[in-house]
DNA sequence: GTTTGTGAAACGATTCACAGCT
DNA sequence: AGCTGTGAATCGTTTCACAAAC
């Protein structure tokens, strides 16, 4: 498959379509049209077809898409055909919520380590996983590499944690700290910033 | 000020700039150039200037922007010159993390009520706030309206909660449930979907 | 000399519209 | 007849580049 550059917005929608298809399958549906999928996903049918067309043609003209089949295709496209090892840095509230969320491992993500700098938290067992001292981060990741690191630390230390991860060869970071991480371009970072979400809401509220 | 339509991407960057400026102020900086702000925010100087230009001209040529002043302007633009009343539906892990996060009220958001359907949770005090039965939602929001509702329920009930909120006049929703909420167009919804963030990471990992 | 503010150009994403398959 | 797949057209966003201000 010739890999042109795929827009981030497209990838996000693919992920969304997958979620919709899981819903349709649970409802017992065998086929969906781009129209139905679009309605559920909050887009247009043309957008659905265009998004899929970057990766192949998965539908049958006149009929639509097989729910099962398209689900499989999307999983392949998104790289969900394997499991991922996830390390979490920061054993605060959000880290805790992540670790304890069962859907997480159901979706193919295994949390293999969790670190914190706070001596109070180190040693405590979380969902069967020991909270380790962040000093052990380098050693731990060298012994058992992680595919994805989730950073849930205060903003002040997030960059230095990212730097250490990058030095250790980590190629994907999900950052909850409220700063924009600077990383080499071969490392992917996604930012989740609640303040930002709230502020887009207040902006919208203000302007109507 | 003539209100052209502002792109969501622009608003998100404005929010980001504000976070950067707070950092600069903490560092004792008085002025920043669009270059410096861009470097910290992960964008370009032209982008910074263009974003700001939709709302006015806040800089001094040859000099840059006053950190303090620009902070104030951004807060005004984003609608942060007042406090917001936030209600949370769903007293799970994420709801808990939200309620207990102090930065939240520091930023002008007051959590005024939290609801859950689980009898086990109802009546428990969270950070000085009683978890109320979700049956009381309508009455509670009628007596004391919320500006923003955060939905942190399982996907199956999220849409019905959103419908109730909309009927009660809520105009802004932040949704953590993994479904795309359908709301009238005068209601703003922001989706936060962790599965989706992870899947954009796996997609990126796969394609390199 | 430095940096802003902004039209114009370049780029990228979405929508249209229809030929082609079932 | 119905729905997909896709080039072409449209629309929106980002980047360029430079005159104006300090």
């Amino acid at each position: 498959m010739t890999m042109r550059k795929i827009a981030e917005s497209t990838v996000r929608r693919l992920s969304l379509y997958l979620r919709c298809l899981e819903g349709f399958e649970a409802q017992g549906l065998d086929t969906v049209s781009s129209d139905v999928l679009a309605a559920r996903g909050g887009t247009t049918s043309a957008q659905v077809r265009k998004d899929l067309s970057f990766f192949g043609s998965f539908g049958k003209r006149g009929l639509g898409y097989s729910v099962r089949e398209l689900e499989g295709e999307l999983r392949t496209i998104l790289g969900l055909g394997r499991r991922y090892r996830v390390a979490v840095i920061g054993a605060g509230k959000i880290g805790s919520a992540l670790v304890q969320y069962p859907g997480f491992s159901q979706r193919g993500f295994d949390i293999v380590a969790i670190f914190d700098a706070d001596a109070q938290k180190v040693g405590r067992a979380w969902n069967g996983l020991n909270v380790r001292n962040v000093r052990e981060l380098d050693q731990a990741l060298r012994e058992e590499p992680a595919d994805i690191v989730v950073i849930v630390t205060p903003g002040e230390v997030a960059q230095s944690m990212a730097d250490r991860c990058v030095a250790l060869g980590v190629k994907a970071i999900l950052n909850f700290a409220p700063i924009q991480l600077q990383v080499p371009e071969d490392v992917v970072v996604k930012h989740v910033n609640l303040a930002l979400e709230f502020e887009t809401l207040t902006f919208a509220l203000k302007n109507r």
Side-chain angles (χ1 to χ4, degrees), chain A:
Chain A
M1 189 190 299
T2 52
M3 220 351 131
R4 271 169 298 169
K5 210 168 104 266
I6 301 297
E8 157 130 12
S9 52
T10 297
V11 180
R12 295 180 76 85
R13 281 191 302 268
L14 292 176
S15 174
L16 203 62
Y17 301 153
L18 174 54
R19 213 103 306 116
C20 295
L21 288 169
E22 288 166 356
F24 288 134
E25 196 185 356
Q27 286 171 40
L29 271 144
D30 280 347
T31 17
V32 275
S33 64
S34 54
D35 244 326
V36 172
L37 192 48
R40 176 76 78 107
T43 356
T44 65
S45 60
Q47 183 76 78
V48 169
R49 297 199 301 275
K50 180 65 87 179
D51 286 339
L52 295 174
S53 76
F54 294 128
F55 300 94
S57 47
F58 309 118
K60 290 206 200 337
R61 295 174 192 226
L63 241 169
Y65 303 87
S66 152
V67 171
R68 280 279 177 80
E69 244 174 73
L70 190 54
E71 251 188 83
E73 296 289 357
L74 287 177
R75 268 192 249 276
T76 305
I77 291 166
L78 292 169
L80 300 176
R82 49 163 288 209
R83 300 193 70 79
Y84 288 88
R85 299 169 51 83
V86 178
V88 178
I89 309 183
K93 291 278 157 10
I94 306 168
S96 149
L98 273 182
V99 174
Q100 294 182 37
Y101 181 55
F104 213 71
S105 92
Q106 278 166 31
R107 289 200 168 287
F109 299 94
D110 297 311
I111 297 182
V112 295
I114 179 155
F115 302 90
D116 203 293
D118 181 356
Q120 295 267 305
K121 283 173 184 156
V122 172
R124 292 225 301 246
W126 268 22
N127 221 35
L129 209 65
N130 246 34
V131 176
R132 304 172 65 170
N133 193 305
V134 75
R135 278 192 306 254
E136 299 173 30
L137 176 71
D138 299 48
Q139 197 199 333
L141 287 193
R142 256 192 292 267
E143 284 168 11
E144 296 208 288
D147 301 301
I148 298 171
V149 170
V150 181
I151 296 182
V152 210
T153 64
E156 303 84 51
V157 293
Q159 183 64 57
S160 70
M161 292 301 145
D163 293 343
R164 280 167 74 180
C165 292
V166 168
L168 289 158
V170 170
K171 292 286 177 246
I173 296 174
L174 182 60
N175 174 42
F176 285 80
I179 67 155
Q180 211 68 3
L181 295 179
Q182 317 282 326
V183 296
E185 63 164 304
D186 67 323
V187 178
V188 211
V189 183
K190 294 269 84 212
H191 292 90
V192 178
N193 189 330
L194 283 207
L196 199 143
E197 305 299 338
F198 273 95
E199 287 171 14
T200 60
L201 285 179
T202 60
F203 177 83
L205 280 177
K206 194 190 163 211
N207 299 110
R208 55 187 65 204

